[in-house]
Structures are given as structure tokens and as C-alpha cells.
Amino acid sequence: MAKILVADDAAFMRMRLSNLLTEAGHTVLEATNGAEAVEQYRQERPDLVLLDITMPVMDGLAAIEAIRGIDPQARIVVCSSLGQQAIVLKAIQSGARDFIVKPFQPERVLGAVSRVLAG
């Protein structure tokens, strides 16, 4: 299966996503902010990044741009409680392949992961 980086400042959300993805057979890496996510991406080159928008140190939008600077083909899915249309649009324009609104349904996360990994 895939190596997936989960970047979220909320430990509970990282745990939920990590458990869900691990049970689905994926290997999971974790980051607590955007800067850590960029560094983890640089070192580990995961197959996919699940990224929150609102995080300390570096937010998700800045992290998307930094990760895409490292790898223009990076597969990124934003998973955030910020469901406002402007934020979603900015994330997609920055290179995110999908946007999952929290609280999420497990099937929605797994579906997005499968779709983005396949495409």
C-alpha cells in the first residue's frame, strides 16, 4: 500500500486518521505543523499527504506550495474544518487534489486517498 503523511496540529485528528489509514494497510507518517510536513516530505517522499489548513508555524496553504516546490507532482489532499469556498478554492489552485471537510466520514477519506493514489 502507500506511505501517507498526516499533517495536523490536533493529536486526536492525527490519531484518528493514522488509525484509519493503518487499518486500510497504509504506512503513516505524522507531522504537527506545516513546516514539519515539508521537512518530512523532503526526507520521506510519501505517496500522499493529508494536510490540515490551520496549523502553527506554517499553515497548510504555505505547506502545499513548499511541498509542490520540492515535488510538482506531489499528491496532496486537504482535510480541514475550514469548509469555506475561498479556502477550498485556494487549496485546489495551490495544487491540492481533493478537499475533505472535518468532521470527516471514514469512507470519504479512504475514497479520496484511493482516487488520488490511482490518478
Side-chain angles (χ1 to χ4, degrees):
M1 295 303 267
K3 185 186 334 180
I4 300 175
L5 171 59
V6 173
D8 197 305
D9 58 321
F12 173 75
M13 197 54 61
R14 286 195 315 276
M15 182 186 71
R16 265 193 83 200
L17 286 166
S18 293
N19 289 344
L20 176 66
L21 295 167
T22 301
E23 287 171 13
H26 300 289
T27 301
V28 178
L29 309 167
E30 294 185 15
T32 62
N33 62 57
E36 278 184 24
V38 172
E39 190 53 39
Q40 286 261 23
Y41 193 91
R42 184 177 284 117
Q43 291 176 8
E44 300 288 338
R45 295 295 171 130
D47 301 300
L48 179 91
V49 180
L50 276 175
L51 190 63
D52 189 15
I53 292 290
T54 307
M55 295 184 287
V57 184
M58 176 188 284
D59 71 19
L61 293 175
I64 291 171
E65 292 181 19
I67 289 169
R68 302 239 335 142
I70 296 166
D71 177 7
Q73 303 306 312
R75 290 179 269 202
I76 301 168
V77 174
V78 171
C79 186
S80 181
S81 57
L82 292 176
Q84 295 104 336
Q85 197 157 350
I87 299 283
V88 173
L89 189 59
K90 179 73 173 146
I92 299 298
Q93 288 171 339
S94 296
R97 307 263 180 106
D98 203 347
F99 191 99
I100 299 166
V101 178
K102 296 181 208 170
F104 59 80
Q105 297 299 316
E107 313 80 52
R108 173 72 175 99
V109 173
L110 295 175
V113 166
S114 295
R115 210 170 28 262
V116 171
L117 287 172

